[in-house]
Amino acid sequence: MIEALLFLSGEPLKLASIAKSIECEKQEAREILDELILDYQEKDGGFVLREIAGAYQFSTNEKYSEILAKLFKEKKREQLSRSSLDTLAIIAYKQPITLSEIDDIRGVSSRAMVTSLISKKLVKPVGNKEVPGRPALYGTTKEFLIHFGLNKLTDLPAPVEVKELKFENLDDLIENGQE
Amino acid sequence: MERENGGNSFVVQWNNSDGGITEGPLSLLWSLIESYKVDIFEVSLSQITHDFLNFIKISESIHIDIGAEYALMAANLVYLKSKALLPDPGFEEEDYDPPLPPELVEKLLEHKKFQLTAQKMSEIDKTQAGVFQRETNQVIDESESWLDLSLLDLISAFNEILEKGGEEGEIPALLTAPHRYSVEDKMVSISELLVKRSDISFEELFSTVKPEKAEIVAVFLAMLELCKQRIVSIRQHKTFGEIRIFLVGEPWNATKPA
């Protein structure tokens, strides 16, 4: 039944609304959902069930991402530029963070980048830092999670730890993305 | 661009896509460090300062505008270098070649860390760009298709109504003429309308098709006030973009203290 619901729905469904629709306890619904997610994962077919930003939804299997992106060019969403990603990475891992702290890490002014990320709804102001001038603090949004197909912020890959960088192993780092 | 320097040449990329000049002074320092092919803790401060300044000189000679950040970094490097040159009681060597100071190394490592992390994220970004969801227009729960709307949307709706509005009754006249519309009356009438029907559209709040400005303003303020007191909620339909007002709390009555 849950499967049918999710199949019909174009929108991601929250656990609470699934439980409400089929009139059962959240706990019970969650167990069924977890089982479904596993089922599809094991099957490793054309599509999987996943939990993103706290809601459940069917989506195509990541392994076909490249080919599907080619086939559905007009539907494919745009990818972010390198400098947007630099800025976004800093915000994602260090939030809440002020503009000047971001500038400090990047070594260049990031105002334009942050503004464009806000207009893309990936970043939002989340408050003010209690220091003189009360600069705005920035954090990531729910859209950010959806954009990267994440359920929670903790699902982000671990940041690359750079300790002793020699030029030789820098290449390896870039190739393998050290865990 | 290549330059001979004591037998080793270095190349700085000019493209903007990765690690070019537009990426800022920290990236430039990294390009230099990588060109020396030594560990970051063994980079010579005077060497890198020298190369950095040279880079700026060359950039100027080929008319490239570089940001103030570069000048700042250059100044910093020169400062650090001069500090390192001051006699240090611990060192009596003539040709002591100071390494990069730890604070700069830390900055560089932090910068690199996020560059590499961003690279990882771009992988995810690329993958996710090719992950699609089913698209159906089956909506399970009717209320799910109503979005909370932002103040901006509300203002634009208000402006639309204002433009439709009649020309008579200019706002300055409000200051002299007695008020024919009060916010409180409108709050009562909106509440009454909502009690009869669970929701109404924004346009239906007005008594006439071409309302006067004074009335529009009164209705609008009344609506905001009702919203503030959590008596109504204003939502916009996802697909039709129409704005409707729903009753969520107890209807307003003027005698009840707000």
Side-chain angles (χ1 to χ4, degrees):
Chain A
M1 176 62 210
I2 290 189
E3 203 172 357
L5 264 185
L6 285 162
F7 181 75
L8 264 182
S9 162
E11 297 288 315
L13 294 178
K14 280 199 163 55
L15 182 66
S17 66
I18 294 174
K20 207 175 85 183
S21 312
I22 60 164
E23 291 164 11
C24 73
E25 288 301 310
K26 274 191 192 176
Q27 184 55 35
E28 197 184 334
R30 182 176 280 285
E31 278 165 24
I32 298 171
L33 282 160
D34 286 345
E35 207 173 307
L36 279 173
I37 290 177
L38 269 179
D39 280 353
Y40 282 103
Q41 224 170 359
E42 279 164 15
K43 200 174 132 203
D44 200 21
F47 57 90
V48 292
L49 178 60
R50 61 177 187 173
E51 193 182 356
I52 53 172
Y56 293 87
Q57 155 182 66
F58 278 120
S59 65
T60 56
N61 194 325
E62 281 182 14
K63 64 179 181 185
Y64 304 117
S65 140
E66 209 170 320
I67 183 132
L68 286 173
K70 277 204 195 86
L71 287 169
F72 296 99
K73 261 205 185 71
E74 70 288 346
K75 267 195 182 174
K76 195 185 130 191
R77 62 163 177 70
E78 58 170 324
Q79 284 171 250
L80 297 164
S81 71
R82 265 314 299 274
S83 31
S84 309
L85 276 163
D86 278 356
T87 313
L88 192 55
I90 294 168
I91 296 173
Y93 288 93
K94 294 215 141 201
Q95 58 185 306
I97 183 168
T98 65
L99 190 59
S100 61
E101 287 164 340
I102 301 168
D103 287 351
D104 213 37
I105 296 173
R106 290 188 68 224
V108 282
S109 164
S110 313
R111 182 176 294 276
M113 278 300 149
V114 173
T115 311
S116 94
L117 287 168
I118 290 175
S119 70
K120 290 194 174 84
K121 293 200 168 146
L122 297 169
V123 166
K124 61 169 190 251
V126 288
N128 302 76
K129 192 167 183 162
E130 290 307 331
V131 292
R134 301 186 76 245
L137 286 162
Y138 297 98
T140 52
T141 60
K142 187 175 150 186
E143 282 83 359
F144 164 82
L145 292 174
I146 294 169
H147 186 103
F148 286 93
L150 304 164
N151 185 28
K152 307 181 288 292
L153 268 179
T154 45
D155 296 341
L156 275 170
V160 183
E161 280 305 334
V162 190
K163 285 192 183 66
E164 297 240 348
L165 267 186
K166 285 197 169 54
F167 182 59
E168 293 78 66
N169 61 21
L170 196 67
D171 281 342
D172 303 346
L173 269 185
I174 291 170
E175 272 159 35
N176 310 331
Q178 167 204 11
E179 282 304 325
Chain B
M1 158 187 86
E2 291 200 31
R3 193 176 57 82
E4 287 302 311
N5 174 27
N8 61 13
S9 64
F10 67 85
V11 180
V12 176
Q13 298 163 307
W14 290 105
N15 51 356
N16 298 343
S17 58
D18 48 22
I21 184 174
T22 54
E23 296 288 304
L26 284 170
S27 300
L28 172 58
L29 285 179
W30 270 111
S31 314
L32 293 172
I33 291 168
E34 283 166 21
S35 73
Y36 306 145
K37 296 198 170 31
V38 294
D39 189 291
I40 183 161
F41 296 102
E42 292 160 20
V43 171
S44 140
L45 178 60
S46 52
Q47 164 98 44
I48 205 163
T49 307
H50 176 244
D51 287 341
F52 194 93
L53 292 173
N54 255 312
F55 175 86
I56 292 185
K57 267 198 207 115
I58 294 167
S59 307
E60 280 174 350
S61 69
I62 41 182
H63 302 296
I64 291 178
D65 282 336
I66 53 175
E69 297 105 352
Y70 287 86
L72 177 68
M73 177 60 80
N76 261 327
L77 284 170
V78 173
Y79 168 71
L80 289 167
K81 186 180 158 184
S82 61
K83 225 169 72 167
L85 288 176
L86 287 174
D88 181 11
F91 276 103
E92 285 303 316
E93 288 174 53
E94 272 299 294
D95 53 354
Y96 167 60
D97 194 7
L100 292 181
E103 60 264 39
L104 186 61
V105 170
E106 208 163 292
K107 239 186 172 169
L108 280 163
L109 287 180
E110 180 87 325
H111 175 75
K112 193 52 145 192
K113 172 172 137 185
F114 281 107
Q115 288 243 300
L116 294 169
T117 306
Q119 232 154 30
K120 256 196 191 174
M121 283 172 75
S122 91
E123 292 295 307
I124 303 178
D125 190 25
K126 198 174 153 196
T127 310
Q128 290 300 328
V131 170
F132 297 94
Q133 281 76 42
R134 272 175 53 73
E135 289 187 20
T136 65
N137 37 22
Q138 296 284 350
V139 177
I140 291 185
D141 187 356
E142 194 43 49
S143 69
E144 287 291 303
S145 61
W146 293 93
L147 303 169
D148 287 336
L149 89 168
S150 70
L151 185 60
L152 279 178
D153 295 331
L154 207 54
I155 290 171
S156 66
F158 177 62
N159 276 335
E160 250 171 62
I161 302 262
L162 262 185
E163 277 162 27
K164 269 204 302 205
E167 287 307 299
E168 74 281 4
E170 284 298 304
I171 289 189
L174 282 179
L175 302 173
T176 51
H179 291 282
R180 265 179 301 168
Y181 305 102
S182 83
V183 174
E184 215 158 273
D185 291 348
K186 282 291 171 192
M187 283 168 75
V188 174
S189 67
I190 293 174
S191 295
E192 279 167 1
L193 273 173
L194 280 168
V195 173
K196 282 185 211 133
R197 308 162 36 182
S198 65
D199 59 291
I200 47 180
S201 75
F202 192 60
E203 287 82 7
E204 284 174 85
L205 293 176
F206 303 100
S207 48
T208 53
V209 186
K210 276 197 150 205
E212 283 176 43
K213 270 189 188 161
E215 187 190 1
I216 299 169
V217 173
V219 166
F220 198 71
L221 287 173
M223 207 169 69
L224 289 179
E225 186 58 36
L226 286 169
C227 225
K228 189 177 130 194
Q229 296 188 19
R230 307 228 173 268
I231 292 169
V232 302
S233 78
I234 307 169
R235 299 200 190 100
Q236 186 171 28
H237 197 281
K238 219 178 267 184
T239 33
F240 308 117
E242 146 191 66
I243 295 173
R244 292 188 83 85
I245 294 96
F246 296 81
L247 184 66
V248 286
E250 286 295 305
W252 158 267
N253 68 55
T255 51
K256 192 184 66 181

PDB file of all heavy atoms in Angstrom, chain A residues 14 22 27 38 85 150:
ATOM      1  N   LYS A  14       6.397  12.844   3.216  1.00  0.00           N
ATOM      2  CA  LYS A  14       6.943  12.797   4.568  1.00  0.00           C
ATOM      3  C   LYS A  14       6.370  11.596   5.309  1.00  0.00           C
ATOM      4  O   LYS A  14       5.250  11.175   5.046  1.00  0.00           O
ATOM      5  CB  LYS A  14       6.575  14.071   5.321  1.00  0.00           C
ATOM      6  CG  LYS A  14       7.456  15.240   4.970  1.00  0.00           C
ATOM      7  CD  LYS A  14       7.340  16.281   6.075  1.00  0.00           C
ATOM      8  CE  LYS A  14       8.486  17.279   6.026  1.00  0.00           C
ATOM      9  NZ  LYS A  14       8.628  17.925   4.724  1.00  0.00           N
ATOM     10  N   ILE A  22      -2.412   6.036   5.469  1.00  0.00           N
ATOM     11  CA  ILE A  22      -2.806   4.637   5.582  1.00  0.00           C
ATOM     12  C   ILE A  22      -3.208   4.283   7.010  1.00  0.00           C
ATOM     13  O   ILE A  22      -3.367   3.128   7.353  1.00  0.00           O
ATOM     14  CB  ILE A  22      -1.706   3.681   5.064  1.00  0.00           C
ATOM     15  CG1 ILE A  22      -0.423   3.871   5.882  1.00  0.00           C
ATOM     16  CG2 ILE A  22      -1.424   3.889   3.591  1.00  0.00           C
ATOM     17  CD1 ILE A  22       0.531   2.730   5.686  1.00  0.00           C
ATOM     18  N   GLN A  27       5.908   4.544  13.562  1.00  0.00           N
ATOM     19  CA  GLN A  27       6.911   3.507  13.755  1.00  0.00           C
ATOM     20  C   GLN A  27       6.732   2.382  12.730  1.00  0.00           C
ATOM     21  O   GLN A  27       7.664   1.947  12.072  1.00  0.00           O
ATOM     22  CB  GLN A  27       6.801   2.971  15.194  1.00  0.00           C
ATOM     23  CG  GLN A  27       7.850   1.950  15.577  1.00  0.00           C
ATOM     24  CD  GLN A  27       9.262   2.489  15.335  1.00  0.00           C
ATOM     25  OE1 GLN A  27       9.529   3.676  15.511  1.00  0.00           O
ATOM     26  NE2 GLN A  27      10.170   1.618  14.893  1.00  0.00           N
ATOM     27  N   LEU A  38      15.474  -1.036   1.319  1.00  0.00           N
ATOM     28  CA  LEU A  38      16.431  -2.139   1.195  1.00  0.00           C
ATOM     29  C   LEU A  38      16.126  -3.023  -0.007  1.00  0.00           C
ATOM     30  O   LEU A  38      17.019  -3.396  -0.753  1.00  0.00           O
ATOM     31  CB  LEU A  38      16.415  -2.985   2.469  1.00  0.00           C
ATOM     32  CG  LEU A  38      17.410  -2.555   3.541  1.00  0.00           C
ATOM     33  CD1 LEU A  38      17.290  -3.451   4.757  1.00  0.00           C
ATOM     34  CD2 LEU A  38      18.835  -2.609   2.994  1.00  0.00           C
ATOM     35  N   LEU A  85      30.777  25.959  -5.947  1.00  0.00           N
ATOM     36  CA  LEU A  85      30.939  24.766  -5.120  1.00  0.00           C
ATOM     37  C   LEU A  85      31.939  24.990  -4.001  1.00  0.00           C
ATOM     38  O   LEU A  85      31.736  24.521  -2.889  1.00  0.00           O
ATOM     39  CB  LEU A  85      31.372  23.574  -5.978  1.00  0.00           C
ATOM     40  CG  LEU A  85      30.219  22.844  -6.662  1.00  0.00           C
ATOM     41  CD1 LEU A  85      30.727  21.971  -7.775  1.00  0.00           C
ATOM     42  CD2 LEU A  85      29.436  22.012  -5.659  1.00  0.00           C
ATOM     43  N   LEU A 150      20.637  14.324  -0.532  1.00  0.00           N
ATOM     44  CA  LEU A 150      20.987  13.917   0.826  1.00  0.00           C
ATOM     45  C   LEU A 150      19.750  13.907   1.700  1.00  0.00           C
ATOM     46  O   LEU A 150      18.804  14.641   1.453  1.00  0.00           O
ATOM     47  CB  LEU A 150      21.991  14.901   1.432  1.00  0.00           C
ATOM     48  CG  LEU A 150      23.276  15.130   0.652  1.00  0.00           C
ATOM     49  CD1 LEU A 150      23.958  16.378   1.156  1.00  0.00           C
ATOM     50  CD2 LEU A 150      24.195  13.937   0.794  1.00  0.00           C
TER      51      LEU A 150
END
